[in-house]
Amino acid sequence: MAMEITQYLLAAQSPDARVRTEAENSLKQFQEQNLPQFLLSLSVELANNEKPSESRRLAGILLKNSLDAKDSGRKELLVKQWFAIDLALKAQIKELLLRTIGSSVSEARQTSAQVIAKVASIEVPQKQWPELVGSLLNNMTQQDSPAHLKQATLETLGYVCEEISHHDLVQDEVNSVLTAVVQGMNQSENNAEVRLAATKALLNALDFSQTNFENEMERNYIMKMVCETACAHEAVIRQAAFECLVSIASTYYEVLEQYMQTLFELTAKAVKEDEESVALQAVEFWSTICDEEIDRQEYDSPDTGDSSPPHSGFIEKALPHIVPMLLETLEKQDEDQDHEDDVWNISMAGGTCLGLVARTVGDGIVPLVMPFVEINIRKPNWRSREAATYAFGSILEGPTIDKLAPMVAAGLEFLLTATKDENNHVRDTTAWTLSRIFEFLHTPDSGFSVISPQNLPRIVVVLLESMKDVPNVAEKVCGAIYNLAQGYEDAGASSSLLSPYLTEIIQHLLAAAERTDGAESKLRSASYETLNEVVRCSNLIEAAGIIGQLLPVIMAKLGQTMDLQVVTTEDREKQAELQASLCGVLQVIIQKLSSKDETKPIIMQNADQIMMLFLRVFGCHSSSVHEEAMLAIGALAYATGAEFAKYMPELFKYLQTGLQNFEEYQVCSITVGVVGDICRALDEKILPFCDQIMSLLIQNLQSEALHRSVKPPIFSCFGDIALAIGGQFERYVATALQIMQGAAQVCAQMDTLDEELMDYGNQLRRSIFEAYSGILQGFKDAKADLMVPYAQHLLQFVELVSKDSLRDESVTKAAVAAMGDLADVVGEKTKPLFSNFTFCGEFLSECLDSEDEDLKDTARWAQGMIARLMVTS
Amino acid sequence: MAPHDLRRPFKRRPISDQQKRRELSLLRQSQHRSDAQQRARNLASSVISLQSPSSPDVDPEELSEPMPDVDATGHESEASGFNIRQASSLRGPEARKWFASQLMLPEWMIDVPENLSRDWYVLARPAGKRCFVVSADGTTVSRLRNGSVLHHFPSALPGGARKKGVSGPAQSYSILDCIFHELDQTYYVIDMVCWRGYSLYECTAEFRFFWLQSKLDETGACDPPSFLHKFRFSVVPFYNCDQTGLHSAYTESSPYVKDGLLFYNKHAHYHTGNTPLVLIWKDERCSQYVIDTDNNGQVLNQQHIVLELQDDGKIVTSDDPPVVVNCLNADFIKQSGLTPGSLVRFAIGDGGLKCVDGKFEKADLQYISLSNRARAFADSYSKIMFQYMARHSPLKVEDLASMISHEDQQDKSPEVEMSG
């Protein structure tokens, strides 16, 4: 029997904290002691129209929280608990919920719709609620169903579709759902609420409709209804209909051809005259078409051959109409759009779409945009000048350099002058456009740059002057300098061109970083990031002195952060953020200077002080280790080599803390990488620390709580440790190999359709092979036989991987290498295995045919190792 | 239903510098990791390469000896497996030349090798045309020993026919050493040289035969002919050369007409050209062609041999290095219109041949004529001797069997002592 819990639900919302806590405790107790009755009681409460809306609302929330949680571990537990509940009782709950969507109280209807979807998310995939869809559809087909029931039913269908996958329904169910939803959109039969609910439900049901979209008649019907709805009287309904069109554009691009004329007219009208919320969706429709066509173009590279998906060239065909439509939006700027991050308006959407169109069609856009630029760029109205500049900046990615170069060369001086425009927006967009020019038309490495030794001095002067502009402009200028420097990276002789200006540029960047008028410290981090790129891309021989001088400056700044007054959490965050930027700069400097023997001594001389600073940074943050400091320590370990041993006693506890930081898994991951760096620096001197490191790494691998992305680096780290300590790895081999075999098993069972999961799978597989390689090579001289029991499993794993056509090249390489390592290290005893695993030959020959020289070399080596094995007897 | 977020990045770089720093660090780490592992590997392989890969039963000279320079087209024979790829793109006469020198040619068995039962396989050689079968790029070609094309056809070998959904890389190629048997129009496979692009040149016969057996069947190449598979392939059964194996190969009936027995040393690589690690032996029972016949199939009264004339007038066998049989005087050469490099046919006179330590001490040669043009090579020493012995004191199957049983005795002798 359900319990009467109204008073507790109300008391739990009392302003009196004592009353509230007591009621919350009672509810919690009830939940813990008898979950089934608790859920039933909540459902009864929610279903009862006599009850106050406050108690019903909380009942709904508690129900949802008992069925779903953001945390995946918790969610799993909740699902288990639900499955454990008696079927009859669950039937009662579901019945109550289905009844509630017919309630006259709209809030109760809505809440129960959401709860039903949560139950559906658990039960439908398990085929445990077969009558759900039928029961909902019944609400739609009953002649006398009131409008509010239809509305709530459609909402429920929408939520359910959102929660489950289309594999969970049979086609008949999909057909009925879709029919009900599309009929619900019918203007002549339904009121606005029903039509809105139906249109929103359709958005979620679209993913289910593959089969229906393949059928022309059904597709025509759906498209007709959506297009009609896009002209509805109510703006919210039109907006929902356009959202459906956006989704259709990406999901059903292939079948859009016959509707394009209509869709163009609809969207053009909306962009021109509809409310902004609707117009934004209409622009998004075209941006989505661009996304699709860009994807297809990238996919359509010569090596993939004829299997690329069809490309209908919608943008190309509609180009003369779309471009004017988009240009028109550009002059509808908000006054303060450059200052606020969460603004999204029609001119921003239109400009963004214009950039996508340029990437889609390339040269074709240039003659359509340039007249607009030329007419508007000198107008007295700032909106015209900004729009013209934005249009120009937008089309710089996509068209060929040949097409753009003359215009950019002609316009560059104008833009440099415009950095002094009286209007903040114009200057902001001008700086952004300059940064785009340097991004796309400044690649001396490949033989073209709009920047010459003649105009470079002027450019640098203008940029440095603009660094003093208001923060939002200065931030864009940082971007321009970033791209300017980037162009000179690895650019041979021309990389010297920037050298004379380095000192001045660095000074200005440091000054900008010091400014206090930059909101949310965006300018400061932009300055430091640009500083990093300037250092990274500099010509080291010429810049060594300057970078050598920068080092103590940055070290001093980092030292000063320790003295900042830290009272509030906000203070602490600010301190950490500043330290992050400075550690980042130090990391870049360390890496740059240690890349050449001539400049390495600068790091060696300062290593003790740098390390001390990093340790102090760690000391500032008791709860965690600082990610950027850790990254920098990895670079330092590489620079100092075996000398790094002297820092280990102090550093070790922070390594341990880092390895145990599951919450900020990036920190954990970086720490794992740094352990690898240290292994390579110290070799066998890492041994005293290995027991503790290995035990932490193993715990991490076994933990459910650690983010999965950290697990591949841990396996790679096994290899690093093994290679460093050689035969001493013996004591870990049994445990390590057991886990590696377990992980290989997991790889074998992964869902190959899930792209993100496959990415992870590739990383995991590569790292397992790297672990094998490190361990095998580490055992080479003394303990090779220890690996005999694992040889078969390794080859099985290689075989499995070799049969996966989706595997990444890096996985292939690691697999081949590990196979060669096995033959090389264990030798004789693996001969029968290699004879049995006949896939090896095919796999090797596939690798030998690769374009990748590295892979070929590895395969050749592995083939040699295996062939030797076969020769000796 | 969460509202769809429309916002796209606006005036922003897509990647933060911090992300870039992370990625560069990862790149550096993975580069150093692979450097470190690579160093470990190179160390290992340079240690190994110092040890010469030999076994006590195989003449070390044989294994470490570089393969003869293949041809005049500039292809080194070193790492011959890889050059097959280039060779497969050769056309016309170049291709013929190349293939002509790629077959492993047995020596004739003139004495019984040691450890037959332990180190050798035996198989009954099908009568027919010895050829290379190459499948690649959707077609299959068979080439005779002189390099000319025998058939050009679709087959079920990897890459051997144009069809959809073939597994494996498109460029892979396979090369089989076969004998085409006219009667049942079947390619009998006696060796596997490359399989799906994986060279087996450097592999032992033991491994090649194993691989041949396990791989060929799964392609469907052994199935009856069909539209995309014009000729049937069949693996020639091979046996360990013990009493039973020898008996099986020698006496058991086979779907093909036999032409002698082939003996393969298990440890030998695929060696292009003549090799003493593959031997052919024949007698009247297992071959119709023990003693050379004329064009009409009649056994000649005298043994004919073909030798090559050198610059200095010496006439030599096709062996490498050549064995000198005799010397022609300059007048005779001039008078007969012979030039250096000519292949010359002789009959062996009643004086016969006498050999000591692989050198001819005496050879009673009677000049017949210049050899016909189809001929590419002179006869080998072992062929001349085998033919000679066949006419005078042949090596009999009983000799082989008794050698094996003698070896078995030796192997067993310790056991006998123990039990006694």
Side-chain angles (χ1 to χ4, degrees), chain B residues 24 289 302 388:
Chain B
L24 286 174
Y289 317 103
Q302 287 178 305
Y388 187 73

Side-chain angles (χ1 to χ4, degrees), chain A residues 42-280:
Chain A
L42 291 172
S43 313
V44 169
E45 185 78 19
L46 180 61
N48 190 341
N49 280 340
E50 313 286 303
K51 296 291 183 184
S53 63
E54 291 80 8
S55 66
R56 297 177 84 182
R57 183 186 305 138
L58 185 57
I61 292 172
L62 291 176
L63 272 171
K64 273 194 279 180
N65 290 344
S66 307
L67 293 163
D68 194 11
K70 278 214 176 89
D71 178 72
S72 62
R74 167 109 185 123
K75 165 94 193 178
E76 222 168 281
L77 178 75
L78 294 174
V79 170
K80 267 191 204 141
Q81 288 178 345
W82 176 260
F83 281 135
I85 296 172
D86 173 55
L87 285 178
L89 190 134
K90 278 192 286 194
Q92 233 180 313
I93 293 175
K94 290 188 277 186
E95 181 51 40
L96 285 162
L97 291 171
L98 283 171
R99 200 196 304 162
T100 310
I101 57 171
S103 162
S104 55
V105 180
S106 90
E107 199 186 343
R109 292 199 300 270
Q110 207 165 12
T111 309
S112 73
Q114 289 167 358
V115 179
I116 287 171
K118 297 298 176 196
V119 177
S121 79
I122 300 173
E123 293 206 332
V124 172
Q126 307 292 326
K127 310 287 176 215
Q128 292 197 356
W129 199 357
E131 65 279 13
L132 169 68
V133 171
S135 150
L136 290 172
L137 291 174
N138 196 37
N139 293 343
M140 298 305 294
T141 47
Q142 291 289 317
Q143 280 298 316
D144 50 351
S145 280
H148 71 252
L149 175 60
K150 284 189 172 178
Q151 180 222 349
T153 302
L154 287 165
E155 257 173 44
T156 312
L157 283 169
Y159 290 136
V160 169
C161 288
E162 195 178 22
E163 290 285 347
I164 63 178
S165 129
H166 65 274
H167 302 297
D168 297 331
L169 294 184
V170 296
Q171 187 59 39
D172 278 351
E173 289 174 308
V174 172
N175 293 344
S176 319
V177 169
L178 212 56
T179 307
V181 167
V182 176
Q183 279 172 1
M185 293 164 71
N186 192 324
Q187 194 158 5
S188 56
E189 287 169 19
N190 300 295
N191 69 22
E193 284 76 27
V194 173
R195 283 185 286 125
L196 180 60
T199 314
K200 286 183 169 174
L202 179 65
L203 183 60
N204 286 331
L206 281 170
D207 273 347
F208 291 61
S209 316
Q210 247 89 16
T211 311
N212 312 86
F213 264 81
E214 279 162 22
N215 177 322
E216 190 177 354
M217 228 168 60
E218 295 181 31
R219 181 173 73 229
N220 282 341
Y221 178 58
I222 298 171
M223 290 303 290
K224 176 171 162 281
M225 292 305 288
V226 177
C227 290
E228 274 176 30
T229 310
C231 300
H233 179 66
E234 301 80 0
V236 277
I237 299 182
R238 292 199 300 278
Q239 185 188 338
F242 273 106
E243 279 185 57
C244 289
L245 289 176
V246 170
S247 170
I248 289 169
S250 78
T251 315
Y252 300 110
Y253 172 90
E254 289 84 358
V255 297
L256 283 185
E257 180 95 61
Q258 62 191 116
Y259 313 108
M260 257 348 231
Q261 183 61 35
T262 313
L263 292 174
F264 175 75
E265 284 160 17
L266 272 177
T267 50
K269 187 165 183 295
V271 171
K272 211 177 179 77
E273 55 201 42
D274 210 328
E275 288 179 28
E276 192 168 50
S277 63
V278 184
L280 285 174

Side-chain angles (χ1 to χ4, degrees), chain B residues 312-367:
Chain B
D312 53 7
K314 285 176 178 154
I315 42 172
V316 299
T317 64
S318 65
D319 299 272
D320 182 28
V323 179
V324 180
V325 183
N326 214 326
C327 196
L328 301 180
N329 72 48
D331 287 346
F332 178 79
I333 294 171
K334 204 173 170 187
Q335 184 190 334
S336 315
L338 302 176
T339 51
S342 298
L343 297 177
V344 190
R345 181 173 291 269
F346 297 93
I348 295 177
D350 295 338
L353 298 172
K354 190 172 179 206
C355 283
V356 173
D357 293 336
K359 285 189 182 134
F360 289 95
E361 270 194 348
K362 189 186 93 182
D364 176 12
L365 299 184
Q366 300 167 353
Y367 172 75

Side-chain angles (χ1 to χ4, degrees), chain A residues 40 44 73 102 223 251 277 366 444-445 510 514 533 596 618 709 738 744 760 779 786 799:
Chain A
L40 181 62
V44 169
M223 290 303 290
T251 315
S277 63
V366 175
D445 185 21
L510 289 174
E514 290 292 302
E533 189 69 358
K596 275 211 161 68
F618 287 145
S709 71
Q738 193 195 348
Y760 169 66
F779 283 165
L786 287 173
E799 180 172 31

Side-chain angles (χ1 to χ4, degrees), chain A residues 306-367:
Chain A
D306 52 0
S307 52
S308 60
H311 184 309
S312 307
F314 294 138
I315 299 294
E316 181 92 56
K317 287 176 205 158
L319 198 60
H321 310 287
I322 304 174
V323 172
M325 171 183 92
L326 294 173
L327 289 173
E328 210 174 300
T329 65
L330 293 182
E331 293 184 74
K332 298 180 182 169
Q333 308 94 327
D334 284 347
E335 290 279 356
D336 49 4
Q337 70 183 34
D338 287 323
H339 302 282
E340 288 179 31
D341 275 343
D342 49 358
V343 180
W344 186 249
N345 60 38
I346 189 71
S347 79
M348 296 164 91
T352 304
C353 187
L354 191 66
L356 290 169
V357 171
R359 285 176 55 199
T360 312
V361 302
D363 287 356
I365 197 167
V366 175

